[in-house]
Amino acid sequence: MGKADFLSPKAISNRIKSKGLQKLRWYCQMCQKQCRDENGFKCHCMSESHQRQLLLASENPNRFMDHFSQEFKSEFLELLRRRFGTKRVHNNIIYNEYISDRQHIHMNATRWETLTEFTKWLGREGFCKVDETPKGWYIQYIDRDPETIRRQEELARKKKHDLDDEERSAKFIEEQVRRGRDGKEIEENPVYTELKRESEEEKGEKDCRETTTWDSALGVSALKKDVAVSVKRKDTSSDTRSEKKRKSALEEIIEMEERKKKKQQPVRTDYWLQPNIVVKVVTKKLGERYHKRKAVIMEVKDKYSAVVKMIDSGDKLKLDQTHLETVIPAPGKQVLIVNGPYRDTEALLEGIDEKSFTATLTLDSGQQKGKRVDVAYEDFSKLA
């Protein structure tokens, strides 16, 4: 019996089955061959190509096993770092996402027989923090990236500096309050002396002394008054100066907060064209030859128009951005954010949310590298 036609239901069914995941026991890691049933796997094991691969592996089996183990460990940790970061997550969740890729390294080709054994090994080697619970083993990635460590140290240093400034200002306020309280207590506690009555002679002598020293007393009191006024003026001037300083510092803090808010606000523009991105032609004025076809932007002119090169035919056209739209690639591909607060930033597409028309991206460049953000469909496009 010959093969079924290409468009027959049998042929379509076979192609659909070949795309999905198959049983692990019918997969040959050495040949990277997936068989659909036991008969096919048996035929593959008897083939000459499989026998040659077995002869190569028998010469140095440890080298092949170490290679597969290293590949499995690297891809597993990369998925854990990119997908969950430093969050605590069940190891089965990561493993299920890892094996969803048809081309993954199977665990039966590595030195670890079970996922539990591999999880314990990650904990012993210091790659992750692992703990066992009644629900199973949980795993948490330890990020040792120098850039991440440097960013954490800068945040800790900034936090410590802010705390030192708050402590200094609090001590200064306490000192001012203490000084004001001490001066008030001195004014409110006058010194009392004993009352002594004087005789008539002493009284007359005292009147004479008072009359002779009246002028000098007036001069001294006036001098004291002038000194007190000058001291008060100095105190008020120093107080106003300190108030001005405090006001200026407060104004600086307010300005810094406003600047931070401005930076955090989304910066959107009405133009989004960028060179070296893949776009789709949506206008019908050019005919069916270019409609719904993909192209690469070669040059941007006047922000709103661009010279594009068609991927299929290689033709070059000059189009307005209203005749183009962004292209959303498959998860795992590189994209460029073309609008919004993360404009001109390269990122990795993690997943797509069809209900909210957004996608989850991991930033690959800039100061916020490694951050996961949600971006609308029209704000990013596939990199050429």
Side-chain angles (χ1 to χ4, degrees), residues 90-130:
H90 201 283
N91 59 354
N92 271 328
I93 296 176
I94 310 165
Y95 184 71
N96 289 332
E97 290 195 14
Y98 174 72
I99 65 175
S100 61
D101 181 15
R102 293 188 66 212
Q103 304 301 327
H104 72 277
I105 303 295
H106 290 70
M107 184 172 283
N108 60 356
T110 65
R111 69 178 79 170
W112 305 287
E113 295 182 358
T114 61
L115 181 60
T116 301
E117 184 181 347
F118 175 64
T119 304
K120 291 179 180 179
W121 182 84
L122 289 177
R124 287 195 302 270
E125 294 296 324
F127 291 105
C128 304
K129 295 179 183 178
V130 298

Tab-separated table of all heavy atoms in Angstrom, residues 90-130:
chain	number	residue	atom	x	y	z
A	90	HIS	N	7.927	24.937	42.655
A	90	HIS	CA	7.986	23.474	42.695
A	90	HIS	C	8.816	22.971	41.506
A	90	HIS	O	8.696	23.475	40.389
A	90	HIS	CB	6.568	22.905	42.629
A	90	HIS	CG	6.459	21.504	43.145
A	90	HIS	ND1	6.866	20.410	42.409
A	90	HIS	CD2	6.022	21.017	44.335
A	90	HIS	CE1	6.662	19.311	43.115
A	90	HIS	NE2	6.143	19.649	44.286
A	91	ASN	N	9.662	21.954	41.770
A	91	ASN	CA	10.558	21.495	40.706
A	91	ASN	C	9.802	20.828	39.551
A	91	ASN	O	10.254	20.868	38.403
A	91	ASN	CB	11.607	20.537	41.271
A	91	ASN	CG	10.987	19.308	41.929
A	91	ASN	OD1	9.771	19.204	42.069
A	91	ASN	ND2	11.827	18.385	42.357
A	92	ASN	N	8.617	20.246	39.821
A	92	ASN	CA	7.851	19.624	38.736
A	92	ASN	C	7.339	20.647	37.736
A	92	ASN	O	7.204	20.356	36.540
A	92	ASN	CB	6.664	18.838	39.312
A	92	ASN	CG	7.052	17.404	39.632
A	92	ASN	OD1	7.888	16.830	38.953
A	92	ASN	ND2	6.477	16.851	40.676
A	93	ILE	N	7.031	21.857	38.214
A	93	ILE	CA	6.544	22.910	37.311
A	93	ILE	C	7.633	23.277	36.300
A	93	ILE	O	7.382	23.409	35.094
A	93	ILE	CB	6.099	24.139	38.125
A	93	ILE	CG1	4.908	23.778	39.012
A	93	ILE	CG2	5.751	25.298	37.210
A	93	ILE	CD1	4.465	24.890	39.928
A	94	ILE	N	8.865	23.420	36.783
A	94	ILE	CA	9.974	23.771	35.882
A	94	ILE	C	10.246	22.632	34.907
A	94	ILE	O	10.462	22.844	33.712
A	94	ILE	CB	11.237	24.080	36.706
A	94	ILE	CG1	10.915	25.083	37.812
A	94	ILE	CG2	12.334	24.637	35.826
A	94	ILE	CD1	11.968	25.184	38.857
A	95	TYR	N	10.209	21.401	35.424
A	95	TYR	CA	10.511	20.253	34.566
A	95	TYR	C	9.461	20.090	33.453
A	95	TYR	O	9.798	19.787	32.308
A	95	TYR	CB	10.587	18.991	35.413
A	95	TYR	CG	10.981	17.763	34.636
A	95	TYR	CD1	12.283	17.609	34.163
A	95	TYR	CD2	10.056	16.764	34.357
A	95	TYR	CE1	12.654	16.486	33.439
A	95	TYR	CE2	10.419	15.637	33.635
A	95	TYR	CZ	11.719	15.503	33.174
A	95	TYR	OH	12.069	14.400	32.453
A	96	ASN	N	8.185	20.315	33.796
A	96	ASN	CA	7.133	20.203	32.783
A	96	ASN	C	7.290	21.260	31.693
A	96	ASN	O	7.037	20.990	30.506
A	96	ASN	CB	5.751	20.316	33.442
A	96	ASN	CG	5.408	19.099	34.264
A	96	ASN	OD1	5.879	18.000	33.981
A	96	ASN	ND2	4.602	19.273	35.301
A	97	GLU	N	7.690	22.462	32.068
A	97	GLU	CA	7.931	23.489	31.055
A	97	GLU	C	9.177	23.169	30.227
A	97	GLU	O	9.238	23.468	29.033
A	97	GLU	CB	8.090	24.858	31.729
A	97	GLU	CG	6.803	25.391	32.324
A	97	GLU	CD	6.894	26.859	32.652
A	97	GLU	OE1	7.850	27.497	32.174
A	97	GLU	OE2	6.030	27.355	33.383
A	98	TYR	N	10.165	22.548	30.869
A	98	TYR	CA	11.393	22.214	30.148
A	98	TYR	C	11.156	21.143	29.091
A	98	TYR	O	11.628	21.245	27.958
A	98	TYR	CB	12.450	21.765	31.157
A	98	TYR	CG	13.721	21.260	30.525
A	98	TYR	CD1	14.618	22.134	29.914
A	98	TYR	CD2	14.029	19.905	30.513
A	98	TYR	CE1	15.778	21.680	29.321
A	98	TYR	CE2	15.187	19.437	29.916
A	98	TYR	CZ	16.057	20.324	29.320
A	98	TYR	OH	17.199	19.869	28.718
A	99	ILE	N	10.394	20.111	29.443
A	99	ILE	CA	10.184	19.014	28.490
A	99	ILE	C	9.139	19.349	27.427
A	99	ILE	O	8.896	18.545	26.529
A	99	ILE	CB	9.765	17.720	29.224
A	99	ILE	CG1	8.389	17.889	29.899
A	99	ILE	CG2	10.815	17.286	30.220
A	99	ILE	CD1	7.864	16.622	30.528
A	100	SER	N	8.491	20.517	27.526
A	100	SER	CA	7.543	20.903	26.483
A	100	SER	C	8.240	21.176	25.155
A	100	SER	O	7.598	21.189	24.103
A	100	SER	CB	6.748	22.136	26.920
A	100	SER	OG	7.611	23.229	27.131
A	101	ASP	N	9.552	21.417	25.209
A	101	ASP	CA	10.331	21.584	23.989
A	101	ASP	C	10.712	20.200	23.457
A	101	ASP	O	11.281	19.375	24.172
A	101	ASP	CB	11.585	22.403	24.284
A	101	ASP	CG	12.413	22.633	23.038
A	101	ASP	OD1	11.890	22.408	21.928
A	101	ASP	OD2	13.580	23.041	23.175
A	102	ARG	N	10.418	19.928	22.195
A	102	ARG	CA	10.680	18.598	21.633
A	102	ARG	C	12.166	18.291	21.570
A	102	ARG	O	12.572	17.131	21.640
A	102	ARG	CB	10.088	18.500	20.222
A	102	ARG	CG	8.577	18.549	20.184
A	102	ARG	CD	8.081	18.253	18.787
A	102	ARG	NE	8.392	16.883	18.393
A	102	ARG	CZ	8.654	16.502	17.147
A	102	ARG	NH1	8.684	17.399	16.180
A	102	ARG	NH2	8.901	15.250	16.859
A	103	GLN	N	13.010	19.299	21.441
A	103	GLN	CA	14.437	19.084	21.265
A	103	GLN	C	15.207	19.121	22.578
A	103	GLN	O	16.415	19.332	22.579
A	103	GLN	CB	15.006	20.158	20.315
A	103	GLN	CG	14.324	20.224	18.976
A	103	GLN	CD	14.406	18.914	18.208
A	103	GLN	OE1	15.391	18.189	18.331
A	103	GLN	NE2	13.389	18.608	17.421
A	104	HIS	N	14.541	18.925	23.707
A	104	HIS	CA	15.239	18.995	24.994
A	104	HIS	C	16.057	17.727	25.232
A	104	HIS	O	15.827	16.679	24.601
A	104	HIS	CB	14.231	19.176	26.134
A	104	HIS	CG	13.412	17.954	26.425
A	104	HIS	ND1	12.287	17.626	25.711
A	104	HIS	CD2	13.568	16.976	27.359
A	104	HIS	CE1	11.780	16.502	26.181
A	104	HIS	NE2	12.536	16.079	27.182
A	105	ILE	N	17.032	17.849	26.135
A	105	ILE	CA	17.846	16.699	26.529
A	105	ILE	C	17.051	15.880	27.543
A	105	ILE	O	16.610	16.401	28.563
A	105	ILE	CB	19.181	17.157	27.141
A	105	ILE	CG1	19.948	18.045	26.154
A	105	ILE	CG2	20.033	15.959	27.544
A	105	ILE	CD1	20.382	17.345	24.904
A	106	HIS	N	16.857	14.595	27.269
A	106	HIS	CA	16.071	13.751	28.161
A	106	HIS	C	16.907	13.336	29.367
A	106	HIS	O	18.130	13.125	29.268
A	106	HIS	CB	15.582	12.507	27.409
A	106	HIS	CG	14.543	12.840	26.376
A	106	HIS	ND1	14.834	13.530	25.228
A	106	HIS	CD2	13.204	12.577	26.335
A	106	HIS	CE1	13.736	13.676	24.505
A	106	HIS	NE2	12.727	13.114	25.149
A	107	MET	N	16.232	13.187	30.495
A	107	MET	CA	16.933	12.901	31.735
A	107	MET	C	17.529	11.493	31.735
A	107	MET	O	18.522	11.251	32.422
A	107	MET	CB	15.979	13.073	32.928
A	107	MET	CG	16.661	12.889	34.266
A	107	MET	SD	15.628	13.310	35.662
A	107	MET	CE	15.737	15.081	35.596
A	108	ASN	N	16.960	10.550	30.979
A	108	ASN	CA	17.514	9.200	30.975
A	108	ASN	C	18.856	9.121	30.262
A	108	ASN	O	19.499	8.076	30.279
A	108	ASN	CB	16.527	8.209	30.339
A	108	ASN	CG	16.199	8.583	28.897
A	108	ASN	OD1	16.639	9.617	28.397
A	108	ASN	ND2	15.420	7.752	28.238
A	109	ALA	N	19.296	10.227	29.633
A	109	ALA	CA	20.613	10.261	29.011
A	109	ALA	C	21.650	10.932	29.901
A	109	ALA	O	22.813	11.051	29.500
A	109	ALA	CB	20.548	10.989	27.663
A	110	THR	N	21.263	11.388	31.095
A	110	THR	CA	22.171	12.087	32.003
A	110	THR	C	22.578	11.161	33.148
A	110	THR	O	22.145	10.012	33.243
A	110	THR	CB	21.503	13.351	32.557
A	110	THR	OG1	20.381	12.972	33.373
A	110	THR	CG2	21.017	14.248	31.428
A	111	ARG	N	23.406	11.722	34.038
A	111	ARG	CA	23.872	10.930	35.180
A	111	ARG	C	22.822	10.804	36.273
A	111	ARG	O	22.980	10.020	37.196
A	111	ARG	CB	25.112	11.590	35.773
A	111	ARG	CG	24.830	12.912	36.467
A	111	ARG	CD	26.051	13.525	37.084
A	111	ARG	NE	26.864	14.196	36.074
A	111	ARG	CZ	27.891	14.983	36.368
A	111	ARG	NH1	28.221	15.170	37.633
A	111	ARG	NH2	28.568	15.568	35.410
A	112	TRP	N	21.733	11.600	36.191
A	112	TRP	CA	20.696	11.580	37.226
A	112	TRP	C	19.539	10.698	36.751
A	112	TRP	O	19.038	10.849	35.627
A	112	TRP	CB	20.188	12.996	37.508
A	112	TRP	CG	21.304	13.917	37.858
A	112	TRP	CD1	22.016	13.965	39.018
A	112	TRP	CD2	21.857	14.944	37.007
A	112	TRP	NE1	22.982	14.946	38.958
A	112	TRP	CE2	22.908	15.570	37.739
A	112	TRP	CE3	21.580	15.395	35.727
A	112	TRP	CZ2	23.661	16.601	37.222
A	112	TRP	CZ3	22.330	16.423	35.206
A	112	TRP	CH2	23.354	17.019	35.943
A	113	GLU	N	19.106	9.824	37.624
A	113	GLU	CA	18.031	8.908	37.264
A	113	GLU	C	16.650	9.509	37.496
A	113	GLU	O	15.711	9.204	36.774
A	113	GLU	CB	18.166	7.606	38.068
A	113	GLU	CG	19.434	6.819	37.734
A	113	GLU	CD	19.511	5.523	38.507
A	113	GLU	OE1	18.580	5.277	39.316
A	113	GLU	OE2	20.489	4.776	38.315
A	114	THR	N	16.511	10.360	38.537
A	114	THR	CA	15.215	10.951	38.869
A	114	THR	C	15.356	12.453	39.035
A	114	THR	O	16.463	12.979	39.227
A	114	THR	CB	14.639	10.345	40.167
A	114	THR	OG1	15.556	10.620	41.246
A	114	THR	CG2	14.444	8.850	40.031
A	115	LEU	N	14.211	13.136	38.983
A	115	LEU	CA	14.200	14.593	39.182
A	115	LEU	C	14.567	14.949	40.622
A	115	LEU	O	15.214	15.967	40.871
A	115	LEU	CB	12.812	15.153	38.828
A	115	LEU	CG	12.631	16.668	38.956
A	115	LEU	CD1	13.590	17.415	38.048
A	115	LEU	CD2	11.195	17.066	38.634
A	116	THR	N	14.178	14.119	41.581
A	116	THR	CA	14.528	14.373	42.985
A	116	THR	C	16.035	14.333	43.186
A	116	THR	O	16.609	15.183	43.886
A	116	THR	CB	13.837	13.340	43.886
A	116	THR	OG1	12.433	13.427	43.710
A	116	THR	CG2	14.170	13.593	45.341
A	117	GLU	N	16.685	13.358	42.573
A	117	GLU	CA	18.142	13.261	42.689
A	117	GLU	C	18.817	14.479	42.080
A	117	GLU	O	19.782	15.024	42.637
A	117	GLU	CB	18.618	11.982	42.002
A	117	GLU	CG	20.106	11.722	42.148
A	117	GLU	CD	20.541	10.467	41.433
A	117	GLU	OE1	19.661	9.673	41.035
A	117	GLU	OE2	21.769	10.279	41.264
A	118	PHE	N	18.313	14.939	40.923
A	118	PHE	CA	18.870	16.138	40.287
A	118	PHE	C	18.647	17.377	41.160
A	118	PHE	O	19.535	18.228	41.289
A	118	PHE	CB	18.213	16.322	38.921
A	118	PHE	CG	18.621	17.587	38.211
A	118	PHE	CD1	19.926	17.800	37.823
A	118	PHE	CD2	17.678	18.576	37.943
A	118	PHE	CE1	20.303	18.964	37.172
A	118	PHE	CE2	18.047	19.738	37.299
A	118	PHE	CZ	19.360	19.935	36.916
A	119	THR	N	17.475	17.486	41.790
A	119	THR	CA	17.188	18.626	42.668
A	119	THR	C	18.135	18.643	43.864
A	119	THR	O	18.664	19.697	44.248
A	119	THR	CB	15.729	18.566	43.139
A	119	THR	OG1	14.864	18.512	42.008
A	119	THR	CG2	15.380	19.781	43.984
A	120	LYS	N	18.368	17.486	44.478
A	120	LYS	CA	19.301	17.415	45.608
A	120	LYS	C	20.712	17.802	45.177
A	120	LYS	O	21.435	18.489	45.914
A	120	LYS	CB	19.305	16.003	46.185
A	120	LYS	CG	18.016	15.611	46.902
A	120	LYS	CD	18.115	14.191	47.425
A	120	LYS	CE	16.835	13.768	48.143
A	120	LYS	NZ	16.916	12.375	48.629
A	121	TRP	N	21.103	17.384	43.974
A	121	TRP	CA	22.443	17.726	43.479
A	121	TRP	C	22.590	19.238	43.287
A	121	TRP	O	23.648	19.799	43.609
A	121	TRP	CB	22.687	16.995	42.159
A	121	TRP	CG	24.049	17.244	41.590
A	121	TRP	CD1	25.211	16.605	41.894
A	121	TRP	CD2	24.380	18.239	40.602
A	121	TRP	NE1	26.248	17.128	41.167
A	121	TRP	CE2	25.771	18.128	40.361
A	121	TRP	CE3	23.652	19.184	39.907
A	121	TRP	CZ2	26.431	18.939	39.453
A	121	TRP	CZ3	24.308	19.996	39.002
A	121	TRP	CH2	25.681	19.878	38.779
A	122	LEU	N	21.546	19.896	42.782
A	122	LEU	CA	21.596	21.362	42.638
A	122	LEU	C	21.774	22.044	43.985
A	122	LEU	O	22.503	23.043	44.095
A	122	LEU	CB	20.309	21.857	41.964
A	122	LEU	CG	20.115	21.535	40.482
A	122	LEU	CD1	18.767	22.047	40.012
A	122	LEU	CD2	21.222	22.135	39.641
A	123	GLY	N	21.110	21.517	45.028
A	123	GLY	CA	21.267	22.092	46.360
A	123	GLY	C	22.660	21.874	46.922
A	123	GLY	O	23.240	22.774	47.550
A	124	ARG	N	23.238	20.678	46.711
A	124	ARG	CA	24.581	20.402	47.228
A	124	ARG	C	25.644	21.241	46.526
A	124	ARG	O	26.605	21.687	47.162
A	124	ARG	CB	24.907	18.916	47.050
A	124	ARG	CG	24.170	17.998	48.002
A	124	ARG	CD	24.803	16.617	48.021
A	124	ARG	NE	24.834	16.004	46.703
A	124	ARG	CZ	23.886	15.239	46.195
A	124	ARG	NH1	22.791	14.979	46.927
A	124	ARG	NH2	23.986	14.713	44.993
A	125	GLU	N	25.485	21.464	45.227
A	125	GLU	CA	26.474	22.222	44.471
A	125	GLU	C	26.327	23.727	44.657
A	125	GLU	O	27.185	24.494	44.199
A	125	GLU	CB	26.362	21.881	42.978
A	125	GLU	CG	26.733	20.451	42.650
A	125	GLU	CD	28.192	20.148	42.939
A	125	GLU	OE1	29.030	21.048	42.718
A	125	GLU	OE2	28.485	19.022	43.394
A	126	GLY	N	25.246	24.191	45.285
A	126	GLY	CA	25.069	25.618	45.543
A	126	GLY	C	24.464	26.397	44.403
A	126	GLY	O	24.505	27.636	44.414
A	127	PHE	N	23.885	25.714	43.417
A	127	PHE	CA	23.224	26.438	42.330
A	127	PHE	C	21.871	26.988	42.775
A	127	PHE	O	21.443	28.031	42.293
A	127	PHE	CB	23.016	25.521	41.124
A	127	PHE	CG	24.291	25.137	40.435
A	127	PHE	CD1	24.827	23.872	40.577
A	127	PHE	CD2	24.975	26.054	39.645
A	127	PHE	CE1	26.006	23.518	39.949
A	127	PHE	CE2	26.156	25.710	39.011
A	127	PHE	CZ	26.679	24.440	39.167
A	128	CYS	N	21.185	26.284	43.680
A	128	CYS	CA	19.843	26.664	44.113
A	128	CYS	C	19.671	26.350	45.588
A	128	CYS	O	20.446	25.597	46.183
A	128	CYS	CB	18.760	25.917	43.304
A	128	CYS	SG	18.872	26.133	41.520
A	129	LYS	N	18.639	26.947	46.162
A	129	LYS	CA	18.185	26.595	47.502
A	129	LYS	C	17.015	25.617	47.354
A	129	LYS	O	16.039	25.926	46.686
A	129	LYS	CB	17.715	27.838	48.266
A	129	LYS	CG	18.807	28.849	48.550
A	129	LYS	CD	18.241	30.055	49.280
A	129	LYS	CE	19.322	31.107	49.515
A	129	LYS	NZ	18.748	32.313	50.182
A	130	VAL	N	17.135	24.453	47.975
A	130	VAL	CA	16.104	23.428	47.850
A	130	VAL	C	15.585	23.081	49.239
A	130	VAL	O	16.319	23.141	50.227
A	130	VAL	CB	16.643	22.170	47.140
A	130	VAL	CG1	17.086	22.490	45.741
A	130	VAL	CG2	17.801	21.554	47.919
